[in-house]
Amino acid sequence: MTYKTLLLLLVAAVPLFAQKKAEEIFSQNLNAKRTFTVTLPPYYKQDKDKKYPLILVLDGDYMAAPFEGIFNYTGYWDELPEAIIVGVDQNYADQRQQDCLINATTGLPEGNGGKFFMFINDELMPYLDKTYRLSPFKVIAGHDATAYMASLFLYRDNSPFKGYINFSPDLQANMENLLPEVLGKIKTPVFFYMCTTEGDAPKLRKKIKAMDETIKALPKNNNLKYVFEEFASGSHYSVVPYGIPGALYSIFDSYRPISPTEYKDRIETLPSGYVDYLKEKYDVIEKDLGVKMVIRLGDFKAIEAAILKNAAYKELRDLASLAKKNYPKKTIGEYYDGLYYEMLGDNKKANRAYMNGYTLDPIGEYTKDFMITKGESVKQ
């Protein structure tokens, strides 16, 4: 599949992603109005207590739509969390060039570049925090000059961003060496993604490769999650549609459901603590991404399989308690109670637990008929 085909597929998916609107605010820093688009998840208005990660996309006039398409597609499979996407428009004559003005000596924003930087930090981000239900996890993304501008938020002690997506950053001054120094000293979790292509602009690619080598040579810092990708084909412009899936999947890796690989390598081999593993997985999702969610049914079934395979039947009681907490009106909690007693050979209590499921709502394969059948099987 060519990158053009991929981009068309991503953009074509956008209309399915709900509630996109254009907004405008006046910037005191820039002494001008700035426009941006906000794309909200489909059920944003219905679920009034839920908070969402933010993806702030610079160059929003051409980069917001591919991000929206990826989230729309992966949302169908629950591979990535729902997110609020904000695209900052910069395609006005020389507007982008002015937004990205950098001091040639220090590599830091100056003039209108400094004003644009402060507009993002002091005006746009507070407005978005006040207006929308944002989780603490916020990501900023950019392409070449705007990618470099985005990475400079690492210099702020209280940066609003915990994730940085850099598509072929146009590194200035000596920043291929200075930015790694900052990354090596971070004291709070940061996700940093950078990519290039073999067909990228040679001047940009040379510095990007040097920065990648410097970052990889840093002493281990558990607060830094760094991912670098170099695509064998493509150009400076195809790096965006190539890179968006890799960036989002790496940043939101902890969110994904338990995969066959995770089950085989991390869960099945545990001597015990299967339910604790499941709890910790969702604690990490909430801590790292600010997303509080109900444990997926498929993840419950994966832990059930590991418990049964390793004959750790006592953990089924803990799994039942966790299921009741997550699905208090569903049959799954009673199913695990019944399975616990069945595995221990107490068929009378197993039958009672399975039959209790008849009064609850079905979930997945655990229908009322299924619960009755299980109850009758242990009774016999």
Side-chain angles (χ1 to χ4, degrees):
M1 180 184 294
T2 67
Y3 77 88
K4 289 183 178 179
T5 304
L6 175 59
L7 183 57
L8 286 173
L9 288 173
L10 299 184
V11 174
V14 171
L16 302 177
F17 200 100
Q19 306 179 55
K20 182 175 181 178
K21 59 179 180 177
E23 290 201 44
E24 180 181 84
I25 62 173
F26 182 82
S27 168
Q28 297 288 344
N29 284 287
L30 295 167
N31 193 31
K33 293 180 179 179
R34 294 306 296 257
T35 61
F36 54 94
T37 59
V38 179
T39 305
L40 302 175
Y43 298 103
Y44 180 84
K45 291 184 178 180
Q46 288 88 335
D47 195 348
K48 297 185 182 300
D49 295 324
K50 186 174 181 179
K51 294 186 177 182
Y52 302 86
L54 170 72
I55 312 295
L56 183 72
V57 183
L58 305 182
D59 287 318
D61 31 281
Y62 68 86
M63 285 218 303
F67 272 94
E68 292 159 10
I70 280 289
F71 272 104
N72 186 48
Y73 174 79
T74 56
Y76 182 86
W77 306 105
D78 196 24
E79 289 275 303
L80 295 176
E82 292 182 305
I84 294 174
I85 302 169
V86 174
V88 180
D89 296 329
Q90 295 180 264
N91 190 24
Y92 310 120
D94 65 344
Q95 182 70 69
R96 186 179 190 268
Q97 183 178 359
Q98 292 296 312
D99 288 346
C100 298
L101 282 177
I102 298 295
N103 185 288
T105 302
T106 65
L108 299 176
E110 70 174 3
N112 271 28
K115 293 176 182 178
F116 178 74
F117 187 91
M118 298 311 294
F119 158 68
I120 297 293
N121 190 81
D122 296 346
E123 296 175 317
L124 181 59
M125 292 304 296
Y127 170 81
L128 296 174
D129 267 320
K130 182 179 179 181
T131 308
Y132 299 100
R133 298 194 305 275
L134 303 181
S135 79
F137 191 78
K138 301 175 178 67
V139 177
I140 186 168
H143 180 212
D144 57 55
T146 60
Y148 176 69
M149 178 67 75
S151 69
L152 294 180
F153 279 94
L154 286 166
Y155 274 89
R156 297 196 66 85
D157 291 335
N158 297 306
S159 170
F161 304 108
K162 295 183 178 180
Y164 299 81
I165 299 176
N166 299 266
F167 301 119
S168 184
D170 186 1
L171 300 167
Q172 299 293 309
N174 188 37
M175 283 299 177
E176 66 269 26
N177 294 309
L178 297 178
L179 277 173
E181 288 183 12
V182 178
L183 287 170
K185 297 176 181 177
I186 57 172
K187 297 180 180 179
T188 57
V190 164
F191 298 79
F192 194 87
Y193 174 91
M194 184 170 65
C195 64
T196 184
T197 68
E198 289 189 1
D200 205 346
K203 181 181 177 181
L204 301 184
R205 188 167 176 270
K206 181 179 179 181
K207 285 197 169 189
I208 291 168
K209 294 280 288 181
M211 179 166 161
D212 171 56
E213 292 176 4
T214 305
I215 293 175
K216 288 177 177 175
L218 292 171
K220 184 174 177 58
N221 184 342
N222 291 328
N223 286 318
L224 175 62
K225 181 179 180 181
Y226 171 65
V227 174
F228 174 73
E229 289 189 291
E230 182 179 17
F231 303 105
S233 61
S235 68
H236 177 67
Y237 302 101
S238 64
V239 72
V240 172
Y242 278 156
I244 289 176
L248 294 177
Y249 270 94
S250 62
I251 287 176
F252 293 108
D253 179 64
S254 63
Y255 176 86
R256 299 174 66 187
I258 294 173
S259 66
T261 301
E262 182 180 0
Y263 174 80
K264 182 179 179 181
D265 294 345
R266 302 183 191 177
I267 301 173
E268 187 182 54
T269 56
L270 289 173
S272 62
Y274 307 101
V275 178
D276 287 340
Y277 180 96
L278 185 60
K279 291 178 181 177
E280 288 169 9
K281 178 180 176 69
Y282 281 79
D283 285 344
V284 168
I285 293 174
E286 183 174 359
K287 179 183 176 182
D288 287 355
L289 309 180
V291 176
K292 186 174 180 63
M293 58 185 294
V294 173
I295 296 176
R296 301 173 179 92
L297 180 59
D299 288 351
F300 270 112
K301 294 173 73 172
I303 298 303
E304 173 193 344
I307 290 173
L308 296 179
K309 182 176 179 61
N310 292 282
Y313 303 133
K314 290 185 178 180
E315 289 206 29
L316 287 169
R317 200 68 189 275
D318 295 331
L319 195 62
S321 297
L322 191 60
K324 290 176 183 179
K325 181 179 179 180
N326 281 264
Y327 299 99
K329 297 181 180 180
K330 304 292 185 180
T331 54
I332 187 171
E334 294 298 331
Y335 166 71
Y336 285 132
D337 265 342
L339 191 60
Y340 165 74
Y341 288 117
E342 181 181 353
M343 292 297 102
L344 294 186
D346 192 336
N347 287 354
K348 183 177 181 180
K349 288 184 178 179
N351 169 264
R352 186 181 305 129
Y354 286 136
M355 289 303 184
N356 284 343
Y358 185 79
T359 64
L360 300 171
D361 296 328
I363 179 172
E365 65 192 63
Y366 308 113
T367 63
K368 293 184 179 183
D369 288 342
F370 173 85
M371 298 296 284
I372 291 174
T373 301
K374 287 292 292 182
E376 292 294 335
S377 68
V378 295
K379 185 177 180 181
Q380 292 174 2

